């Protein structure tokens, strides 16, 4: 019986992979469902096991079984590793994703799984923490805080109970790496968490997954059940979010696991010292935890050898939006934005010129092509007024209205604000209203109330467009410096970057940098 | 409803029962002491008066207590 | 109104092996079972988990996933986030709303279909995306809209 | 004192090593862990703030308090940032001003602008901060999305919630969570739509809210504000005084306009309540101005006649002459009096002095007779002092708390909140109570063990716990050896070790599984299972109001001594006192066998001290207890009584017996605010004054002496102590007090444990805990620290002697009684306030099983019958009570629960056995015949003849 490999990743499913898999089953094949290789332009992707290795075809429809099985299908790719999208990648974290049956513990072990955990068990907790420190691994959730230092804090905290939490509340538009890993290689995350548990002395862990990822929830739960004996006495459970973006913020995530409203906690205290139920808690992103098995199995140096500046190791970059070759691209830090968008991503899907990219999700800055020389590096992006965040890149073509995107940033903040701090709670709503006026070129006239004789201090003269823009900048300043967490604090980045780089969309003359291009 | 005399006898009996675990002699002594400390002269007089009242037979231990209360009053 | 005894049965089942912080899992369980969380369930939930009614109410009202009224027969959750916008979701949203006769964020009066916003399904290179009664659908175009409309009218 | 808000440091006080830092160039040293905000406030630098207040943990939501710290990025919130050594902080810079103004601009873009007509005008933190940041214009305008359409919630009788004025700082929610522990409030929705919600977004009255007022106090705007402020305006001065409800002794700022009380706000510096309150003290003070108050003295020859209003002179003269006449006719001991635990120490002292010096006998008793007299007897016997061992703060260090026969969340709500806070922090709880009180399980609090014993079996259960502790080797032997009488311990240990005392042997008697008793005993003895853990016992009237009340108190003391849980914070034996000054009234010599300071009247040295001071010989024989006075009255040997501030007809057991006794007297003098039930049998009525109308002191359950301060003139003309002095002088005693402080000086002079107490000290320190003398110059928060007051702690063998009140075929159920949060005792005060909104009638709680057997449905009228009498009330079907047990409150005179209760009483003190009455319950059609006739008699008796018009 011919073995074929077809992804059951949610994206593949959305593109019809189930029907394709059914067709191959009907055709008498042994269908192995895998995760996704990570290039969606070729999904649904079918890999046929042959003596020459796995030969890939994609995209493939249910009607294509015969042509695939006889090798005549026009979308024959050959060995996937040789595809240009994959050949340049450095897959430390995603090495098994798309290759193995995600829920086969035998496949996992046969493909290098558990090596990191075994290496960790052979070491003292402090030695594990030291290895993570030496690797230079930084938090992949966005802030880039050194993971080893966070672990050290938890290891050093004396408590009767500690926790490992995996933040899998991947809510940023343009990101899907966490989802892919959980659906495609769940034991890998489990291994990373078990290592973390050993390293800091935690006996229980939670994986907090957003409810928008039902397949990831299901896969992780099944994988936890199957690997329970392997990681014992460490235990894991999945907690499912409930549609709140802000719960990806680590402290509101804690509140949510505790069964409360997902309101952000003020820091200090740091979760590493007083986290879940007041106990020392490691909170790491899926990708941070999944980087750990490699570091333990291959040694910290192997990881640290890759990268750029203070950003060490690889980053699974997600190329999304209006882009030809959208997907997951894992590579060492340092690749430039332009390479990612134009060379690897192949430019826009629409074929029109790229006008802007947003890096780092809804709180990330909009960058014009004039900044495509930026290397993918925490410090370089920060310096340019942007952020890497969870390494999602959303590409827009020249039909985008950047004022509209700025408005959306405020609108999204208003929709997702937990409501605790004032700048975010009220500011996002006022920001939306204000950009509406700016877009309509209808600066505010004095209101009914302001013109009453009883009101003496309000200005009665109408505001100018420039004054409205100034107010928007002031509001962004208040939100940026005044907000309690990154939702309110970073919403100004997309707004101000749109305003700075694309002023013409706000009714002003084009920015000088654009003009100079 | 109990008459005052009946009530006093009942009260003394109740105190006795609470001291009973000490043994009878000690209970009688403790009850006597309790009554001397807490009962007003009228109540003590009434209790003593009951000693000579043949009608309602006082239980032996209560009688023993009231006798001691009477003796104490006499010596005071 | 849901049956109180049935609510209690679901709660008892869910709480039996409850861990700490059991409220969200329990709410998911109730919504899974009934399609929504009846406010009449709140006192029972509060009693089961030793919380105040206020706490339970506050949590239900915080999370967009939790409904307090029965949902429409079909629910389309259309992604409104940036990557889908970059691929034309605004036009798709308008077309879908027009086709279905329901505004974004609302259920149609006949209870047949609701169009709800979702912010990212993690399918960001193949948008516009939606969940149609929980099933992911990618690269939604006008043809797909016709199919979806057809599906939810059934 | 003129009106200013109490200083708010923004975040709670911390205790730690000193850290020095610089704030705006000023060197500051504060304990580690202190927030920058608090450190700044300590040097009078007021950083603008809205969501922070020092009664709540920092929250960090309003973002007004941002500061700059040298070497740190950004603008951290000063409320959530702790100080660190050598930190350099700037609280005012151009950038900070701009940020604060930016935040305020957002607030005001969604806030009403009618400040001048706002009820909080002048007392609004939002207004103050808006002023301080210099906001002049809201550039967003006022026509964006807003919350200005929200409807007011006026369901609570005492305060109003206006969501339009709300800034969603969550101070109310956090106050309810952290301070009160009810968690009745939440935020509904999120983001811009966030709004404060009571329970499930319902009216406050219908919600879980217990109306403690913490949210109102915490609110920085007028979103939550007292209705009295809406009606009267903001206060202009504040006077600190002490609550006149329960024995917790909360201190309040009485906030006044002239002589008009605007509101009572709990005082943050009050050491009993630390700024918290309950619905009674905070709001239910309207009785003080109630139209039912009687303001003129009244006299009548017979209780069949209507009252006749007379002058004070006539009334006082009549009292004096009647009392002298009776004494001449029937003997010196034919009259007596009852002191009031509602009145001040000075007043009770004077009443007992009137009786001892003026009446020439010791016929003085007090309502403690019917509540905590067994505490006095039991703790004096075992420890040497008739009082609780701890202060309330002690509970913060307890690791396991045993609550027996008390219902703190209803009866002592402010202590209940502090206890719940400690339990939320992880302390373990054991509840011994026939009824499932709220503490057993309420949000975030759950007892490790609830032992729902059969009413009347306390001693058996506690002895079984002692059995476990002794036989399982859990005794703190070193402590017992060093601190306790060894011989008594040996006897006791042998007694409790007998197999007959084991939990298994008494399982059927008490109705609690032996395993639970064993587990609870271990939990208590092991300090909650924590190494070095501390165990504290809190108890109430469910311990004392039994025929074995004194034995139970001693059994409790035995447990505490055996486990080494006396003499340090976090431990102890703590009676929860019922009335505001019941501790004080006992301290002041209100018992017939004791002079002030618990010294027996037979002690000639003590008597000599008083005799020298008072210039008269004192009776060396104990006087009559209340119930004995009534017996004597029925017998015709007791003829006159002076009852100050107590309603014995309603509050004492076996109402018909009380009524018969009163009816047999020739002169019953009642001094009270209202024509209470006892006054129906009175011949003279002397109007009383409220705690707002006099100076004095109250002593709470932790022996804390606190000032009561006069904030208005007595409406009746005299403070109660002045009335007592008038009577005394009419009887020829020649008293010359011009201020209660002189009475306190006399108390201090004559009572060693009070030697260091005087009004100057109280003024300086706010409060002191006795003993306060040369040996304890700072007062005594924890007693028996190095040794017991009596020397060695005395173990007392407490045999279980069952009550003679038995169930049987005619009376198969056991009735036990209790209280509810919104009402207070006989309800004389609370029934005259809107507290009726929560509890307008007494209900009979009955188990569904017992109800079904009798065909009773929830809300049905039922008759409640005992050997003593019968009454009717409505049933409340609940599994809070076990099958075989019924329960009711006794707040309403219409119910007259004490018609049912019997004459049985504590063997040592005659404290009535309110907690155990055999009863039968049956469906009925409404009030009983007795209730109807009683009501008619009361109406007849309360008639007042109109005064003759002045010529």
């Amino acid at each position: 019986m011919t073995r074929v490999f077809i992804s059951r990743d949610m994206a593949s499913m959305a593109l019809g992979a189930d029907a394709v898999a059914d067709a191959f089953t009907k055709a008498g094949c042994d269908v192995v469902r895998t995760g996704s290789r990570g290039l969606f332009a070729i999904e649904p992707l079918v890999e046929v096991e042959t003596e020459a290795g796995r030969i890939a075809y994609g995209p493939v429809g249910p009607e294509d079984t015969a042509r695939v099985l006889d090798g005549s299908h026009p979308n024959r790719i050959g060995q996937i590793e040789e595809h240009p999208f994959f050949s340049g990648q450095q897959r430390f974290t995603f090495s098994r994703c798309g290759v193995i049956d995600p829920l086969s513990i035998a496949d996992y072990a046969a493909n290098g799984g558990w090596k990191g955990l075994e290496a960790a068990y052979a070491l003292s907790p402090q030695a594990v923490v030291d290895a993570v420190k030496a690797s230079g691994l930084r938090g992949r959730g966005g802030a880039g805080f050194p993971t080893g230092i966070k672990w050290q804090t938890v290891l050093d905290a004396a408590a009767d109970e500690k926790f490992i939490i995996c933040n899998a509340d991947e809510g940023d538009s343009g990101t899907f790496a966490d989802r892919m890993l959980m659906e495609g290689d769940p034991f890998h995350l489990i291994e990373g968490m078990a290592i973390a548990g050993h390293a800091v002395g935690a006996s229980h862990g939670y994986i907090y997954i957003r409810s928008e990822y039902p397949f990831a929830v299901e896969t992780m739960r099944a994988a936890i059940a199957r690997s329970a004996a392997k990681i014992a006495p460490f235990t894991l459970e999945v907690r499912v979010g409930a549609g709140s973006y802000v719960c990806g913020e680590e402290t509101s995530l804690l509140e949510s696991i505790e069964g409360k409203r997902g309101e952000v906690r003020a820091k200090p205290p740091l979760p590493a010292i007083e986290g879940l139920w007041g106990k020392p808690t490691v909170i790491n992103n899926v990708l941070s935890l999944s980087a750990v098995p490699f570091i333990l199995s291959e040694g910290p140096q192997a990881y640290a050898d890759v990268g750029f500046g203070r950003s060490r190791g690889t980053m699974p970059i997600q190329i999304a939006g209006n882009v030809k070759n959208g997907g997951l691209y894992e590579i060492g830090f340092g690749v430039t934005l332009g390479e990612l968008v134009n060379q690897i991503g192949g430019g826009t899907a629409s074929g029109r010129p790229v006008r802007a990219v947003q890096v780092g999700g809804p709180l990330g800055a909009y960058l014009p092509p004039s900044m495509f020389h930026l290397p993918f590096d925490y410090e370089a992006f920060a310096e340019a007024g942007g952020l890497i965040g969870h390494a999602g890149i959303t590409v827009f073509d020249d039909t985008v209205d950047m004022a509209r995107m700025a408005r959306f940033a405020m609108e999204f903040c208003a929709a997702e604000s937990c409501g605790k701090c004032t700048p975010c709670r009220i500011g996002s709503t006022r920001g939306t209203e204000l950009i509406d006026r700016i877009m309509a070129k209808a600066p505010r006239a004095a209101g009914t109330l302001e013109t009453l004789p009883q009101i003496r201090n309000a200005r009665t003269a109408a505001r100018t467009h420039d004054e409205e823009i100034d107010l928007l900048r002031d509001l962004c300043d208040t939100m940026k410096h005044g907000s309690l967490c990154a939702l309110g604090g970073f919403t100004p980045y997309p707004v101000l970057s749109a305003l700075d780089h694309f002023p013409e969309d706000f009714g002003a003359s084009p920015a000088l940098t654009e003009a100079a291009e | 409803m109990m008459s005052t005399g009946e009530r006093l006898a009942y009260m003394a009996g109740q105190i006795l029962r609470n001291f009973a675990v000490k043994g009878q002699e000690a209970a009688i002594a403790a009850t006597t002491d309790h009554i001397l400390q807490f009962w007003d002269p009228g109540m003590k007089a009434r209790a003593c008066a009951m000693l000579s009242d043949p009608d309602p037979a006082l239980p032996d231990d209560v009688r023993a207590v009231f006798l001691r209360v009477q003796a104490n009053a006499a010596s005071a | 109104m849901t049956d109180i005894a049935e609510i209690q049965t679901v709660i008892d089942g869910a709480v039996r092996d409850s861990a700490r912080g059991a409220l969200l899992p329990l709410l998911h369980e109730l919504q899974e079972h009934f399609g929504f969380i009846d406010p009449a369930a709140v006192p029972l939930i509060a009693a089961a988990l030793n919380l105040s009614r206020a706490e339970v109410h506050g949590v239900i009202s915080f999370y967009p996933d939790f409904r307090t009224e029965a949902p429409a027969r079909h629910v389309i959750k259309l992604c409104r986030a940036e990557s889908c916008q970059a691929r034309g979701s605004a036009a798709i949203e308008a077309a879908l709303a027009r086709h279905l006769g329901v505004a974004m964020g609302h259920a149609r009066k006949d209870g047949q279909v609701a169009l709800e916003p979702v912010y990212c399904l993690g399918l960001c290179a193949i948008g516009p995306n939606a969940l149609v009664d929980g099933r992911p659908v990618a690269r939604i175009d006008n043809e797909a809209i016709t199919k979806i409309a057809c599906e939810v009218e059934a | 004192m003129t009106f200013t808000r109490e200083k708010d440091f923004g975040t709670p006080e911390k205790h730690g090593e000193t850290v020095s830092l610089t704030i705006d160039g000023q060197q500051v040293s504060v304990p580690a862990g202190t927030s920058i905000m608090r450190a700044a406030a300590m040097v009078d630098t007021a950083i603008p703030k809205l969501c922070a207040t020092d009664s709540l943990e920092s929250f960090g939501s309003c973002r007004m308090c941002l500061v700059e710290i040298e070497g740190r990025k950004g603008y951290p919130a000063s409320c959530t940032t702790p100080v660190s050594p050598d930190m350099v902080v700037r609280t005012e810079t151009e950038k900070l001003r701009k940020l604060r103004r930016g935040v305020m601009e957002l607030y005001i873009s969604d806030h009403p602008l009618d400040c001048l007509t706002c009820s909080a005008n002048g007392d609004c933190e939002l207004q103050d901060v808006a002023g301080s940041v210099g906001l002049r214009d809201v550039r967003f305008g006022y026509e964006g999305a807003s919350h200005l359409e929200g409807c007011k919630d006026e369901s609570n009788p005492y305060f109003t919630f206006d969501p339009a004025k709300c800034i969603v700082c969550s101070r109310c929610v956090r106050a309810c969570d952290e301070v009160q522990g009810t968690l009745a409030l939440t935020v509904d929705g999120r983001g811009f739509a966030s709004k404060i919600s009571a329970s499930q977004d319902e009216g406050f009255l219908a919600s879980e809210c217990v109306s403690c007022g913490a949210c109102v106090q915490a609110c920085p705007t007028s979103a939550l504000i007292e209705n009295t402020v809406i009606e009267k305006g903001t206060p202009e001065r504040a006077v600190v005084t002490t609550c006149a409800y329960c024995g917790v002794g909360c201190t309040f700022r009485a906030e006044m306009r002239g002589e008009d009380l605007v509101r009572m706000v709990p005082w943050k510096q009050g050491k009993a309540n630390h700024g918290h309150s309950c619905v009674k003290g905070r709001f239910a003070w309207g009785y003080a101005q109630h139209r039912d108050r009687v303001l003129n003295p009244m006299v009548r020859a017979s209780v069949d006649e209507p009252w006749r209003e007379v002058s004070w002179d006539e009334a006082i003269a009549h009292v004096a002459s009647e009392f002298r006449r009776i004494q001449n006719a029937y003997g010196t001991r034919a009259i007596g009096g009852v002191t009031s635990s509602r009145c001040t120490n000075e007043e009770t002292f004077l009443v007992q002095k009137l009786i001892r010096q003026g009446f020439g006998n010791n016929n003085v008793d007090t309502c403690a007779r019917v509540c905590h007299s067994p505490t006095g007897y039991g703790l004096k016997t075992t420890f040497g002092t008739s009082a609780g061992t701890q202060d309330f703060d002690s509970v913060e260090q307890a690791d396991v708390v045993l609550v027996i026969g008390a219902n703190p969340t209803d009866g002592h709500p402010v202590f209940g909140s502090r206890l719940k806070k400690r339990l939320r922090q992880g302390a373990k709880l054991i509840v011994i109570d026939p009824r499932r009180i709220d503490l057993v399980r309420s949000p975030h609090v759950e007892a490790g063990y609830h032992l729902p014993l059969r009413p009347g079996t306390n001693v058996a259960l506690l002895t079984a716990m002692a059995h476990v502790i002794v036989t399982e080797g859990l005794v703190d032997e070193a402590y017992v050896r060093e601190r306790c009488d060894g011989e008594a311990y040996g006897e006791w240990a042998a007694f409790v070790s007998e197999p007959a005392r084991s939990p298994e042997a008494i399982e059927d008697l008490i109705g609690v599984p032996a395993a639970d008793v064993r587990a609870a005993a271990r939990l208590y003895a092991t300090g909650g299972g924590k190494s070095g853990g501390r165990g504290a016992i809190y108890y109430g009237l469910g311990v004392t109001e039994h025929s074995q009340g004194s034995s139970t108190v001693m059994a409790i003391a035995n447990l505490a001594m055996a486990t080494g849980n006396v003499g340090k914070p976090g431990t102890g034996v703590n009676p929860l006192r019922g009335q505001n000054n019941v501790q004080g009234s006992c301290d002041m010599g209100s018992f017939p066998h004791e002079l002030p300071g618990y010294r027996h009247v037979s002690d000639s040295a003590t008597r000599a001290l008083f005799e020298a001071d008072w210039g008269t010989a004192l009776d060396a024989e104990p006087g009559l207890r209340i119930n004995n006075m009534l017996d004597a009255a029925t017998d015709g040997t007791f003829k006159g009584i002076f009852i100050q501030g107590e309603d014995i007809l309603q509050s004492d057991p076996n109402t018909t017996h009380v009524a018969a006794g009163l009816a047999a007297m020739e002169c019953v003098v009642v001094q009270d605010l209202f024509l209470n039930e006892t006054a129906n049998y009175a011949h003279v009525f002397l109007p009383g004054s409220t705690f707002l109308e006099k100076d004095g002191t109250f002593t709470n359950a932790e022996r804390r002496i606190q000032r009561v301060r006069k904030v208005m003139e007595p409406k009746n003309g005299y403070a109660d102590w002045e009335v007592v002095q008038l009577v005394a002088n009419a009887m020829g005693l020649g008293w010359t007090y011009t201020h209660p402080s002189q009475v306190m000086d006399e108390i201090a002079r004559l009572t060693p444990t009070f030697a260091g107490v005087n009004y100057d000290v109280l003024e300086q320190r706010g409060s002191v805990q006795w003993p306060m003398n040369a040996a304890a110059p700072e007062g005594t928060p924890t007693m028996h620290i190095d040794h017991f007051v009596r020397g060695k702690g005395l173990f007392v063998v407490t045999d279980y002697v069952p009550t003679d009140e038995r169930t049987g075929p005619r009376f198969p159920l056991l009735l036990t009684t209790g209280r509810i949060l919104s009402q207070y005792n006989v309800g004389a005060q609370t029934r005259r306030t809107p507290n009726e909104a929560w509890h307008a009638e007494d209900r009979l709680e009955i188990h569904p099983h017992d109800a079904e057997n009798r065909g009773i449905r929830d809300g049905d009228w039922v008759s409640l019958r005992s050997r003593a009498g019968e009454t009717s009330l409505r049933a409340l079907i609940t599994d809070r009570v076990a099958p075989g047990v019924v329960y009711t409150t006794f707040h309403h005179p219409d119910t007259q629960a004490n018609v049912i209760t019997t004459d049985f009483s504590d063997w040592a003190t005659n404290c009535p056995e309110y907690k155990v009455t055999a009863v039968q319950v049956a469906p009925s059609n409404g009030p009983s015949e007795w209730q109807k006739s009683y009501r008619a008699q009361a109406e007849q008796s309360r008639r007042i003849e109109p005064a003759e018009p002045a010529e």
Side-chain angles (χ1 to χ4, degrees), chain D residues 323-369:
Chain D
F323 282 166
R324 286 298 183 225
R325 176 187 67 76
I326 290 169
Q327 286 191 307
N328 289 333
Y330 302 99
T332 305
R333 289 177 174 144
I335 63 172
V338 176
T339 72
S340 175
S341 297
R342 304 279 175 87
C343 289
T344 63
N345 283 315
E346 294 74 6
E347 286 163 344
T348 38
F349 182 86
L350 291 185
V351 171
Q352 65 88 34
K353 180 177 177 181
L354 169 72
I355 290 162
R356 296 203 154 100
Q357 182 194 33
F359 294 3
N361 61 43
N362 287 312
N363 289 337
V364 57
D365 208 358
T366 184
C367 59
R369 172 67 51 215

Side-chain angles (χ1 to χ4, degrees), chain B residues 1-2 4-5 7-8 10-11 14-15 17-21 34 36-44 46, chain D residues 333 377 495 547 551 593 600 621-625 628 631 635 657 797 801 804 903-905 907-908 910:
Chain B
M1 201 183 285
M2 286 187 243
T4 304
R7 191 191 306 282
L8 293 177
Y10 174 82
M11 284 165 63
Q14 191 189 0
I15 300 166
R17 274 183 287 149
N18 277 278
F19 285 130
V21 68
H34 188 93
L36 291 173
Q37 265 198 64
F38 294 107
W39 286 18
D40 107 301
M43 291 160 73
K44 284 182 275 203
R46 180 70 189 258
Chain D
R333 289 177 174 144
Y377 178 89
F495 172 78
S547 65
S551 300
H593 64 284
H600 202 272
E621 283 284 348
L624 288 162
R625 297 170 177 175
N628 303 128
D631 283 343
D635 288 351
H657 173 234
V797 170
V801 179
D804 289 323
D903 276 336
F904 293 117
S905 64
W907 65 270
N910 291 121

